[in-house]
Amino acid sequence: MNSSRNRALEAWMKEHGYSSNSLAEAVNSAVGDLTGRFGGLDGSSIRDWKAGRVRWPKSATRTALEKVTGLPATALGFVPRGRAPSSTPAPPPEDPVERRRFLAAGTALAAASAAPASATNRRVGTSDVVRLQQRFTEIIASDHRHGGRLGIEQQATSLADEAMALQNSGSASQRVRAHVYGCAAAFRSSAMWAAIDGRRYDDAIVHMREAQALAELAADPAIKFRIWSHAGTLYRHMGRPGEAIAANDVARGLSITRRDPLFASLGLARQAAIHGLARNLKAARRSFDQAQDAMHRADPAADRPVWMTSFYDQAELDSLALTGYLALGDYETAEAHAHRCLAALRPHMRRSKAIATTRLACAQLGQGDMEAAVSTAMSVPADAAAHHPRVAGMLHTFNSRINTVAPNSSTARMWNQHVHTMWKEPV
């Protein structure tokens, strides 16, 4: 029998840029976080939800959906079994000012709401830290798959609050407390990165300030480096190279860069990308050369945090070089680094592959090689092209340039047909 359509879910998906397939993938990933086994939804499952054929998803799926969206299932138009459907219209889009106010409350609110557990005599120990670190690993993996999704930002924020609540749940050694603060700072830094990657810069600044305060309590130079290095990236994406260099200099000045050349290499590579934005070719080349030299000196077997080992390698250095030389207008050098990056990327770096492929297309177009540029751009996965803010933004610019340079060419017509298919309303 036909049920009334779930307009609330449809409205949320449209507002946040999800197709049926991409929402299924996000919920499946969240199910995996909850149960240890990846979920089994596909696009048709979500279309059943939108059509009202499924009014109340199973418990684990429902909980996973709530983690992805940050909303209770009832606010998404689902109706518990035995309850009549509501005629209430879909909720209006969230007020961004109110959302930033909520984020700013963040850690302090969680700490205040968690009453000291003096009556329970609970002991916070190493096992709690290990559990939090495992959740952090899951956040990192989700980020590499999906990029700057709002659901990742919200989940990381929630886990930071959970870590802070743990601080008030019982007694702990000074060492364990420092580790818990470090976990909270790590979660906040991931929320910050998801917001940067999704171009939600005001929210990223809120997360940055929370993360910086927590990192000071943790006294962990590795997480301090991550936060200040991300701050440099944030300001670079905002087009503020002066502040980007200043923030990145803080990261590069930490003791960990003197102890471990790999941290020094990452700081130098990101500095070079900032010099690219500032159109300082000499400084960019010097910093890239120094970053490469530091990477060669780094011990591959050294013990490093998971966020570092999971992403920074030769492929990421070449990705940052691609970014810098593209900004400088040195398209030939940018293309060379793009090919090196794509050849060396590890399979789990799906978001990074989509970004590097898009930048390669831009570098080829910059050299006037339209056929190669269009072929490369058409190879970008449709989900990233439509839903990853950075990829979508670059492809929109690419689209404008193609149709300005050669609007009536067969290559432009082929690209426009691809765009029509890729950016049409999802089924």
Side-chain angles (χ1 to χ4, degrees), residues 382 415-425:
W415 168 251
N416 290 332
Q417 179 58 45
H418 176 73
V419 167
H420 177 74
T421 303
M422 179 176 62
W423 287 333
K424 70 181 181 180
E425 188 72 20

Side-chain angles (χ1 to χ4, degrees), residues 398-414:
F398 180 92
N399 180 65
S400 297
R401 289 195 61 193
I402 282 284
N403 285 287
T404 299
V405 172
N408 299 314
S409 67
S410 59
T411 305
R413 286 196 296 272
M414 179 173 65

Side-chain angles (χ1 to χ4, degrees), residues 110-278:
S113 63
S118 56
T120 66
N121 293 319
R122 187 192 191 290
R123 181 75 176 172
V124 180
T126 303
S127 62
D128 295 296
V129 174
V130 170
R131 177 181 59 80
L132 289 171
Q133 289 173 338
Q134 178 57 40
R135 298 307 304 275
F136 181 58
T137 300
E138 293 165 1
I139 288 286
I140 294 293
S142 186
D143 174 68
H144 289 320
R145 285 195 301 271
H146 306 299
R149 297 277 173 86
L150 180 60
I152 297 174
E153 179 189 347
Q154 291 171 331
Q155 186 180 12
T157 302
S158 176
L159 287 166
D161 292 346
E162 181 181 323
M164 289 305 297
L166 187 63
Q167 291 283 20
N168 291 335
S169 68
S171 60
S173 68
Q174 183 177 357
R175 178 174 174 274
V176 167
R177 289 208 181 278
H179 280 308
V180 174
Y181 279 125
C183 289
F187 287 129
R188 274 287 180 174
S189 68
S190 283
M192 173 187 175
W193 178 251
I196 294 169
D197 207 26
R199 292 186 169 182
R200 299 180 293 274
Y201 298 137
D202 288 346
D203 293 342
I205 289 171
V206 172
H207 292 306
M208 176 183 70
R209 290 169 180 162
E210 292 280 2
Q212 288 166 339
L214 290 166
E216 290 301 321
L217 293 171
D220 180 347
I223 198 60
K224 285 184 183 180
F225 176 94
R226 187 184 198 223
I227 293 161
W228 280 104
S229 186
H230 280 174
T233 302
L234 167 62
Y235 291 124
R236 173 167 63 84
H237 281 295
M238 295 174 74
R240 291 153 62 173
E243 289 164 278
I245 288 174
N248 200 56
D249 277 343
V250 175
R252 293 177 57 227
L254 293 168
S255 61
I256 197 166
T257 63
R258 295 186 291 277
R259 296 198 307 269
D260 188 340
L262 197 66
F263 280 84
S265 176
L266 177 55
L268 285 161
R270 284 181 166 164
Q271 195 85 335
I274 298 167
H275 287 314
L277 175 67

